[in-house]
Amino acid sequence: MVTLIHTADWQIGRQFEPFGPEDGPILAEARLEVVARIAQLARERDVHAVLVAGDIFDAQGVSDRTIRRLFDALSGYPGPWVLLPGNHDAALAESVWSRAQRLGVIPPHVHLALQPQPLRLPTPGAAVGGLAILPAPLTQRHTFEDLTAWFDGAETPEGWLRIGLAHGAVQGVLPDDIDSPNPIAAGRADSARLDYLALGDWHGTLRVNDRTWYSGTPEPDRFRANDAGNVLEVALPGPGAAPIVTPYRIARHPWIALHERLDVASDADRLAQMLAELPAQAVVQLRLSGRLDLAAHARLQQAVQRAQARVRALRLDSRELQLQPTDADLAALHADGYLGDVIAELRERQSGAEAEIARTALVLLADILREEGGGHP
């Protein structure tokens, strides 16, 4: 039995500016840290090779230090690594790969699949002669021809496993809004007599067919329910036999998107409990809609602030949430007379072009009145 780790879309060097100076650098660092965990897993599982199906780097212009750190992270697994250029790190005439070669940082056990030609990896001790890796490296960011077509006629040694390695969009399988148009025929594994086709570009784990899989990115980087955060262990019994594919959850930071509609006070309390139970390393996008009274909103504010202090990152979008002060709210705030009129006007303006300004003003005014009057939500 020959075993592989299949991974892709590391996006080393990606920056997360929208998360600010506290969380952004930590999320960027996590992309390097997960590579070290992949190396540890490969060593523990004693696999024969690790295949990385493109987009190892997020951009051609990453720093020399980042390049060095990436190759240092591979040292935890001494077996062969095969790195394929993707659309973010295409094998241009001058590229991140040519810089890595000039820096002299590529160790002997790391193979750059920069050319569309078979790469032979012997597998001592296995029942098969070895792995014949058929790579389809991207030499530009976008192409409209199927770079895996040459796999069909590629000659490989008798008794060796035929493994395809590519980065792009399987036709008729993926949504239209993926990162790259680079096409891959849905039946390539069959037409090229592949024992396994390891793919990158789709950031979630996805089975196309028995022999064709996307591993997804090992560390999620967007709010999408596509089962990101895995690597795949691929067990190959022998030439022609169906592979056995096992996902391993390896991500540190789960990305969680929540869209909650709030209509009554108990909805806010339920959401507060949900926020309290989020994993500490979670990256959360919280979108709120509906309407709440001021007291319930104040409790929810506190719950959100506690969650923001506890989880890795929490981004709040409350533009669709309206505040509806009740008589009890106004009494607690002692907001009668002119102040009551101001609150009523702000409440009405939440449905127009100034909705966000009115809602923010209403929250601030309520907070000021509580502080001055000692009121409680």
Side-chain angles (χ1 to χ4, degrees):
M1 184 80 73
V2 173
T3 55
L4 311 169
I5 293 291
H6 166 200
T7 179
D9 298 289
W10 294 352
Q11 312 287 151
I12 301 300
R14 179 171 180 180
Q15 301 301 303
F16 294 85
E17 291 92 345
F19 290 91
E22 290 188 21
D23 298 318
I26 292 174
L27 295 177
E29 185 70 14
R31 309 204 73 75
L32 271 166
E33 293 172 350
V34 77
V35 175
R37 294 200 300 278
I38 293 170
Q40 181 181 356
L41 176 65
R43 188 165 193 155
E44 291 172 354
R45 300 297 298 169
D46 194 25
V47 301
H48 292 86
V50 179
L51 308 184
V52 192
D55 282 0
I56 289 88
F57 293 98
D58 187 58
Q60 301 284 4
V62 297
S63 68
D64 288 355
R65 179 173 182 267
T66 295
I67 295 174
R68 291 180 182 277
R69 292 188 69 203
L70 179 278
F71 285 99
D72 283 346
L74 305 183
S75 63
Y77 169 64
W81 297 79
V82 181
L83 309 186
L84 180 81
N87 59 306
H88 281 254
D89 53 7
L92 310 174
E94 176 61 28
S95 70
V96 65
W97 305 110
S98 58
R99 287 169 55 208
Q101 290 170 324
R102 285 199 301 273
L103 290 170
V105 296
I106 305 171
H109 69 295
V110 177
H111 306 273
L112 304 186
L114 303 181
Q115 302 294 329
Q117 59 190 30
L119 171 65
R120 298 182 183 183
L121 298 178
T123 52
V128 300
L131 300 168
I133 310 296
L134 308 180
L138 286 169
T139 56
Q140 56 190 23
R141 186 175 178 87
H142 292 157
T143 182
F144 295 94
E145 60 178 305
D146 186 346
L147 299 182
T148 68
W150 77 273
F151 294 178
D152 291 2
E155 295 185 3
T156 56
E158 187 72 24
W160 284 48
L161 294 162
R162 288 170 65 90
I163 308 296
L165 185 61
H167 189 90
V170 174
Q171 299 302 282
V173 174
L174 297 184
D176 295 332
D177 60 346
I178 63 169
D179 292 339
S180 168
N182 306 305
I184 298 171
R188 184 61 66 202
D190 289 336
S191 65
R193 308 174 309 286
L194 300 178
D195 295 293
Y196 185 73
L197 176 53
L199 298 178
D201 196 31
W202 181 247
H203 281 211
T205 300
L206 178 64
R207 174 188 175 276
V208 177
N209 55 50
D210 284 349
R211 300 178 187 274
T212 306
W213 285 71
Y214 285 95
S215 65
T217 180
E219 194 66 58
D221 55 4
R222 61 194 69 182
F223 296 105
R224 196 171 208 163
N226 61 356
D227 194 21
N230 303 311
V231 298
L232 302 178
E233 182 182 74
V234 183
L236 298 151
I244 303 165
V245 180
T246 305
Y248 278 87
R249 191 75 180 170
I250 202 165
R252 172 164 296 164
H253 300 291
W255 285 47
I256 301 171
L258 300 174
H259 180 193
E260 298 294 321
R261 180 171 179 85
L262 310 172
D263 290 306
V264 294
S266 59
D267 290 339
D269 297 331
R270 172 184 53 79
L271 177 56
Q273 182 61 37
M274 186 186 306
L275 294 175
E277 296 172 356
L278 287 170
Q281 294 296 335
V283 179
V284 183
Q285 178 178 269
L286 177 60
R287 179 183 165 198
L288 303 179
S289 61
R291 60 189 63 197
L292 283 179
D293 61 47
L294 293 182
H297 183 264
R299 296 198 301 276
L300 181 59
Q301 269 190 306
Q302 294 174 0
V304 169
Q305 291 165 0
R306 287 193 295 268
Q308 287 174 325
R310 189 176 60 82
V311 302
R312 177 66 274 153
L314 191 154
R315 300 174 66 186
L316 175 64
D317 180 357
S318 59
R319 289 172 295 179
E320 297 178 11
L321 181 65
Q322 293 189 4
L323 303 184
Q324 298 290 333
T326 64
D327 291 342
D329 289 327
L330 300 179
L333 297 173
H334 306 290
D336 50 8
Y338 173 72
L339 286 175
D341 293 339
V342 171
I343 289 175
E345 183 176 351
L346 290 174
R347 179 175 59 185
E348 294 303 319
R349 289 194 179 189
Q350 290 180 91
S351 58
E354 300 176 335
E356 188 170 1
I357 296 173
R359 182 175 55 254
T360 301
L362 188 52
V363 171
L364 291 174
L365 178 56
D367 288 344
I368 291 170
L369 291 174
R370 287 193 195 95
E371 291 175 4
E372 290 185 349
H376 298 282

